[in-house]
Amino acid sequence: SSPRLQEMPGASRNKTSTGPDEERTLCIGGLENSQVLNMAVAALIGALMGVIISFTVNCTLVEISVNAFFAVYFGVLFVIISSWMLYRVYSGEHPRPILLGTFSAMVMFSGILCFVLESNWVVSMSRGMKVPLYSILGIAVTFALLFSIIDLVNYCYGSFGAAPGKALVETEEQVLLIVGTATVLGFLFGLVFGLLDVEDQPYYKLREALVEQEHICYPIGAIVSAVASAFNQYLREKNSQEYHYESVRKDDVLDDEDF
């Protein structure tokens, strides 16, 4: 009878091995309900930010194209912003500094490009030749906006946040995600702007052309930004769990380094 009594607890342990963590409802990819909710909220916020960025980039492209004063103004602004971004990239601890530095240099190139958009050789260019210029300009404007917003949010997290490991963007994967998002959005915004030939519209049709462009760019900005924000939140949740796991096994890591 004693062997049976010894086997019973083992069998019961195998049957009741589900702990309180496994009782939580798991969703897509093993995510918990709270994580999926956070991703949904991040997607909504990202969609709103995508619409705002779309509106800002489109208005910036219009002002640069039709107003010489604003072209010079934004040119000087882009040079200042790109210089600040280069300083932040190479003086801080940003992942992928070469990639971020390259995009910062693109912003500076776009600032210089603003000074020559009103030149005769640019005005006389065909629409097909202008599209690449506006695509580069759109990428630079979008990247400058995203970099400034994210750097500001990260600064607020670092200054006022209780958990320094929960920054908005801090890993190499997240940096690549932001750079890819800025590239896709900026390229599409500039492409639509150039194909619709908004810059060559007369003043009385300029608002109508801008509204037509916004109707195309708003859904693009909302969808791409929502997906990027949700995936960025997923990376934040993943990095938060990995960071907590590493902090628990800190002694083991130190022991490995001693060898």
Side-chain angles (χ1 to χ4, degrees):
S1 59
S2 59
R4 294 182 179 179
L5 292 177
Q6 293 177 356
E7 292 177 0
M8 291 298 294
S12 63
R13 281 197 300 268
N14 293 333
K15 293 180 180 180
T16 60
S17 59
T18 57
D21 293 336
E22 296 183 8
E23 292 178 357
R24 300 176 183 175
T25 304
L26 299 180
C27 300
I28 302 174
L31 297 175
E32 299 175 2
N33 287 335
S34 59
Q35 294 174 326
V36 175
L37 180 61
N38 291 336
M39 291 175 61
V41 173
L44 291 177
I45 297 175
L48 178 60
M49 291 299 300
V51 173
I52 295 175
I53 291 174
S54 174
F55 174 78
T56 305
V57 173
N58 291 334
C59 291
T60 302
L61 292 177
V62 170
E63 293 296 337
I64 291 175
S65 302
V66 302
N67 194 315
F69 171 78
F70 280 103
V72 175
Y73 170 78
F74 280 108
V76 174
L77 184 63
F78 288 157
V79 171
I80 295 175
I81 292 176
S82 62
S83 301
W84 171 69
M85 288 192 299
L86 287 172
Y87 170 77
R88 290 284 296 147
V89 168
Y90 289 103
S91 64
E93 297 180 354
H94 288 276
R96 294 278 183 164
I98 297 178
L99 181 61
L100 293 177
T102 301
F103 273 80
S104 301
M106 182 185 296
V107 176
M108 182 173 291
F109 171 75
S110 299
I112 299 174
L113 185 62
C114 292
F115 296 111
V116 299
L117 282 178
E118 297 298 326
S119 302
N120 293 329
W121 67 273
V122 177
V123 175
S124 59
M125 291 174 62
S126 63
R127 182 174 62 179
M129 294 295 295
K130 290 181 181 179
V131 168
L133 295 180
Y134 286 111
S135 296
I136 295 174
L137 193 59
I139 293 173
V141 175
T142 306
F143 178 76
L145 281 174
L146 284 177
F147 186 93
S148 302
I149 293 173
I150 291 172
D151 210 36
L152 178 62
V153 173
N154 278 346
Y155 174 79
C156 294
Y157 268 109
S159 300
F160 309 106
K166 297 286 289 183
L168 187 63
V169 175
E170 60 181 356
T171 65
E172 181 178 346
E173 292 177 334
Q174 291 174 295
V175 170
L176 292 176
L177 175 64
I178 297 304
V179 170
T181 302
T183 302
V184 172
L185 288 178
F187 175 78
L188 292 177
F189 293 159
L191 180 66
V192 173
F193 184 86
L195 291 178
L196 293 181
D197 207 10
V198 178
E199 72 280 2
D200 292 332
Q201 297 295 328
Y203 281 100
Y204 65 91
K205 289 186 177 180
L206 188 60
R207 180 178 178 82
E208 180 181 351
L210 181 60
V211 170
E212 181 182 0
Q213 181 192 8
E214 290 174 349
H215 287 165
I216 299 175
C217 292
Y218 281 173
I220 295 175
I223 294 173
V224 174
S225 298
V227 174
S229 298
F231 190 64
N232 182 71
Q233 180 62 30
Y234 167 75
L235 293 177
R236 288 185 67 212
E237 298 281 351
K238 175 184 175 182
N239 296 331
S240 176
Q241 293 174 0
E242 291 178 352
Y243 176 79
H244 179 71
Y245 177 77
E246 292 295 334
S247 63
V248 172
R249 299 193 59 183
K250 184 177 180 181
D251 296 336
D252 295 337
V253 175
L254 292 176
D255 292 337
D256 293 336
E257 290 179 355
D258 293 336
F259 293 101

